[in-house]
Amino acid sequence: MRQSKMLVPTLKENPAEADIASHQLLVRAGYIRQLASGIYTLLPLGKRVLTKIETVIRQEMDRAGAQEMLLSALQPAELWQESGRWYTYGSELMRMKDRHDREFALGATHEEAMTSILRNEVGTYKKLPMTLYQIQNKFRDEKRPRFGLLRGREFLMKDAYSFNESFESLDQSYQNMYDAYCRIFERLGLNYRAVIADSGAMGGKETHEFMVLSEVGEDVIAYSDTSKYAANVEMAPVTKVYEKSVETPGEMEKVSTPDRKTMQEVADYLGHELERGLKSIMFKVDDEYVLVVTRGDHEVNDVKVKNFMDAKVVDLATEEDTVRLMGTGFGSLGPVGAPQEVKVVADYAVEPLVNVSCGANEEGYHYKNVTPGKDFVPDKYADMRFVEEGDPSPDGEGVIKFARGIEVGHVFKLGSFYAENMGATFLDNSGKSRTMVMGSYGIGVSRTLAAMVEQFHDDKGIVWPKQAAPYLVHILSLNPKKEEQRVLADNIYADLLDEGIEVLYDDRPERAGVKFADSDLIGIPLRIIVGKRAGEEIVEVKMRNEESKTEIARSSLMDEIKNLLA
Ligand SMILES: O=C(C[C@@H]1CCCCN1)Cn1cnc2cc(Cl)c(F)cc2c1=O
Ligand SMILES: [Mg+2]
């Protein structure tokens, strides 16, 4: 493609609204433009890259035996009412009415739509397992869209759904998709980890997230420094064993702690370290109240609270509920004398403690010399805290370290929730009617594009790996006004087109400096510079990810290009 004719609006400056590299570079290099908050246009360069990523995904989905379809973005509200999600999702689910006033959801995901197809079209075990997928825009009205394509309100997703006759079969489909995801992210050259994850609102059993390691990632990964263990930090269990304190328990004593509310203020006032105080946080778990108690220096992990209590919804209790239940607000909560209706769950690290402080459930008062098991007995001890760097890895090998990650994929074993609610049944080999078992498997395709830019860029711009680059060769004619330069560049361009090699030709009447800067920004792997030695049919070749340039005669240029791109 000739750049003089192409829509590649590069910018010198970072756009004000972009504050991470991938967002800045995709806008500056003319790949995307924002239409509205969280809504983007893929310009020609961006669309070419997106298509390359889709191609890798399609090849691996098809190789895994999944069948591509295309479902509608418009989904009748009735479908979401059958699964109940019409009522459980809030304003994130975009809804609309048609001309007959009938309600629709704009597809945020397609479990319901896909299940409604299977229940109508597949009724025998002979057709199972069946994995179907699509690559289509999803709509989710994010409260805070940000970071460009990383968190948008309309974005491209590959979503696949497996339909199985049993959980054993689901295990195989899940592993099959998991392996396909590994191949996809390997082929895209991404530094990623598959991590044990929480299934969130989806329920279901096992689930893994595929995380691209990046400092701008919203998720924290807890991984072992010596083994392959990796989990979303929300899920990583704490396996540290705490030895019992040898101190002799003292007499519990109520002390005035005027206006001391935070753990640190109380610890400073009573003259002890943070870990000699108990932190008590009140949660509303579905419709009961749970007081979670941890050591003062530990953090409560609300996902663990939710999973431990097998709850649907976990929220922090309001101050009002807390005062009503405990007689005091957040600053002086404690497990001693908690009322029957409040379940007390203490983290394992609390059990061996002796002579610690905690709130006295009275405004401005705390207890000293509190010993768990003597001055209070929690209803349960459990793993309630976030794992920390240096904690032993749950697989017993090495210690935990943290890294930030961008979630580009998420695979779920859903079970029968949707099939049950929507009547997706099949006749098994004995003619008995059974409910299907499902898995669902997503990749954020446009998010993967941005994650690739996060991993593949330098201070001058994007550095595409050749399997995702919008073009493979970038020809720069430094001075098209010079006949010998323009003719040589035109001929090389024609040769590359004849060879079927994707080539972008910067034939613009711009200064050389502008062409070099734009070429560094756009990030095409191989650059051919047609400059002052064009008269001798000599050009320069430079790889985007190397500093060095080499002079090459036109006669050996094509071979050189082919082995550089091999
Ligand atoms: O999307 C999934 C599960 C899997 C992931 C793989 C591909 C198929 N779906 C989870 N999820 C996330 N955000 C959502 C937002 C809205 Cl507004 C919604 F209505 C539904 C969902 C929702 O279901
Ligand atoms: Mg997810």
Side-chain angles (χ1 to χ4, degrees):
M1 182 70 192
R2 286 175 175 271
Q3 224 164 310
S4 57
K5 299 278 181 277
M6 191 171 188
L7 177 58
V8 191
T10 55
L11 303 172
K12 278 197 179 19
E13 300 306 318
N14 281 333
E17 78 277 2
D19 45 22
I20 59 166
S22 58
H23 189 188
Q24 292 166 350
L25 291 173
L26 285 170
V27 173
R28 278 189 56 208
Y31 281 77
I32 64 172
R33 281 295 181 273
Q34 177 174 303
L35 187 68
S37 163
I39 299 171
Y40 288 88
T41 303
L42 272 290
L43 297 172
L45 285 182
K47 174 59 180 144
R48 286 181 74 91
V49 175
L50 202 68
T51 302
K52 294 270 177 96
I53 295 171
E54 287 181 40
T55 300
V56 170
I57 291 172
R58 268 196 186 87
Q59 286 170 348
E60 293 304 334
M61 285 293 114
D62 297 349
R63 174 170 156 187
Q67 305 169 53
E68 184 170 10
M69 296 169 46
L70 180 59
L71 285 80
S72 62
L74 286 174
Q75 301 181 15
E78 291 75 8
L79 281 184
W80 285 68
Q81 286 157 359
E82 285 187 58
S83 71
R85 292 210 287 183
W86 182 260
Y87 312 107
T88 50
Y89 272 92
S91 44
E92 195 187 347
L93 179 62
M94 301 187 86
R95 306 162 201 245
M96 58 167 284
K97 285 186 177 170
D98 69 6
R99 60 192 313 164
H100 309 295
D101 239 12
R102 275 197 290 270
E103 292 191 288
F104 288 80
L106 279 178
T109 180
H110 283 69
E111 280 81 6
E112 290 83 355
M114 199 57 103
T115 306
S116 71
I117 293 162
L118 268 285
R119 72 175 168 193
N120 296 334
E121 311 303 338
V122 173
T124 161
Y125 75 100
K126 293 186 185 116
K127 302 291 277 182
L128 300 179
M130 186 177 275
T131 301
L132 306 156
Y133 77 96
Q134 65 168 346
I135 299 180
Q136 191 206 121
N137 273 8
K138 293 280 184 286
F139 301 84
R140 294 178 183 178
D141 200 356
E142 293 282 347
K143 214 189 326 238
R144 265 184 312 284
R146 63 184 195 143
F147 290 175
L149 299 181
L150 284 185
R151 182 169 288 280
R153 293 195 290 168
E154 179 177 358
F155 55 93
L156 190 62
M157 184 195 276
K158 181 287 301 175
D159 45 322
Y161 305 82
S162 69
F163 294 86
N164 302 80
E165 58 180 299
S166 66
F167 272 94
E168 294 70 35
S169 168
L170 170 59
D171 288 348
Q172 286 159 14
S173 297
Y174 185 89
Q175 189 59 52
N176 186 28
M177 280 289 115
Y178 182 102
D179 297 342
Y181 275 45
C182 292
R183 287 195 295 271
I184 288 164
F185 297 121
E186 292 290 330
R187 287 183 56 187
L188 293 174
L190 282 166
N191 179 12
Y192 76 95
R193 293 289 183 287
V195 304
I196 298 161
D198 174 48
S199 55
M202 294 307 283
K205 310 269 169 301
E206 190 179 352
T207 167
H208 286 82
E209 286 164 336
F210 286 76
M211 296 284 192
V212 166
L213 301 188
S214 159
E215 275 316 302
V216 302
E218 289 183 349
D219 295 279
V220 175
I221 301 158
Y223 67 95
S224 158
D225 61 352
T226 58
S227 75
K228 288 182 73 69
Y229 178 84
N232 189 307
V233 72
E234 297 167 340
M235 294 300 285
V238 174
T239 55
K240 193 171 193 173
V241 179
Y242 303 91
E243 67 282 347
K244 183 82 179 155
S245 161
V246 292
E247 273 187 61
T248 314
E251 267 311 295
M252 186 172 82
E253 183 196 341
K254 188 158 125 179
V255 291
S256 155
T257 47
D259 301 329
R260 273 36 183 209
K261 295 214 181 293
T262 68
M263 293 304 302
Q264 195 60 59
E265 285 167 353
V266 170
D268 294 347
Y269 186 75
L270 297 180
H272 61 63
E273 292 304 308
L274 259 191
E275 63 257 30
R276 299 293 301 246
L278 296 182
K279 181 189 290 179
S280 301
I281 296 186
M282 182 73 85
F283 285 92
K284 185 156 188 272
V285 179
D286 288 341
D287 49 14
E288 62 173 309
Y289 288 89
V290 178
L291 188 72
V292 178
V293 182
T294 64
R295 216 172 71 181
D297 58 318
H298 288 158
E299 294 302 320
V300 177
N301 180 336
D302 55 322
V303 170
K304 286 185 181 175
V305 175
K306 180 167 171 282
N307 291 337
F308 175 72
M309 301 295 292
D310 197 15
K312 284 256 170 306
V313 179
V314 168
D315 287 313
L316 285 174
T318 61
E319 183 111 41
E320 180 194 348
D321 289 344
T322 305
V323 171
R324 174 171 53 77
L325 289 158
M326 304 292 284
T328 181
F330 298 147
S332 38
L333 271 185
V336 176
Q340 270 313 314
E341 67 192 293
V342 172
K343 198 179 172 75
V344 177
V345 180
D347 181 68
Y348 289 126
V350 168
E351 190 162 16
L353 297 177
V354 172
N355 296 334
V356 292
S357 72
C358 70
N361 291 325
E362 192 179 332
E363 208 64 44
Y365 285 89
H366 281 74
Y367 287 123
K368 278 173 60 174
N369 296 335
V370 174
T371 298
K374 173 171 87 65
D375 302 308
F376 75 94
V377 178
D379 294 279
K380 283 293 284 180
Y381 281 108
D383 174 11
M384 286 284 107
R385 72 178 177 87
F386 278 103
V387 76
E388 291 173 332
E389 287 199 289
D391 280 351
S393 171
D395 66 356
E397 292 183 49
V399 294
I400 288 293
K401 294 181 79 59
F402 286 169
R404 300 198 75 86
I406 300 169
E407 177 195 331
V408 290
H410 200 158
V411 291
F412 295 79
K413 288 182 182 173
L414 288 182
S416 298
F417 174 80
Y418 294 92
E420 219 136 275
N421 285 19
M422 302 180 70
T425 58
F426 65 97
L427 295 181
D428 68 12
N429 58 1
S430 65
K432 194 160 137 318
S433 173
R434 308 263 294 280
T435 301
M436 293 181 188
V437 175
M438 287 171 62
S440 79
Y441 317 90
I443 290 180
V445 182
S446 43
R447 178 180 278 186
T448 296
L449 190 156
M452 289 185 78
V453 177
E454 282 297 327
Q455 280 200 349
F456 305 124
H457 75 270
D458 61 18
D459 56 346
K460 297 203 284 283
I462 304 171
V463 186
W464 289 112
K466 57 181 185 294
Q467 61 272 35
Y471 292 92
L472 293 178
V473 178
H474 200 175
I475 301 172
L476 308 187
S477 64
L478 297 192
N479 187 347
K481 284 202 284 298
K482 291 256 172 66
E483 182 72 7
E484 73 277 11
Q485 287 195 27
R486 190 176 49 72
V487 167
L488 178 55
D490 284 356
N491 292 341
I492 294 170
Y493 177 56
D495 292 350
L496 286 165
L497 290 179
D498 292 348
E499 292 288 320
I501 295 174
E502 295 170 299
V503 52
L504 181 62
Y505 174 16
D506 190 349
D507 60 343
R508 297 173 297 165
E510 296 280 353
R511 287 182 300 102
V514 168
K515 296 193 176 188
F516 284 125
D518 279 355
S519 180
D520 284 336
L521 206 44
I522 291 168
I524 288 168
L526 194 161
R527 180 186 306 170
I528 296 173
I529 302 153
V530 180
K532 44 187 181 305
R533 299 196 65 182
E536 307 157 68
E537 294 241 312
I538 290 180
V539 298
E540 281 182 322
V541 173
K542 179 188 178 301
M543 296 308 286
R544 174 63 183 84
N545 58 2
E546 285 164 19
E547 279 313 307
S548 63
K549 287 190 262 195
T550 40
E551 290 197 329
I552 302 265
R554 184 190 169 190
S555 53
S556 51
L557 178 61
M558 200 49 75
D559 292 344
E560 181 62 9
I561 288 172
K562 284 178 184 168
N563 73 45
L564 282 172
L565 292 176

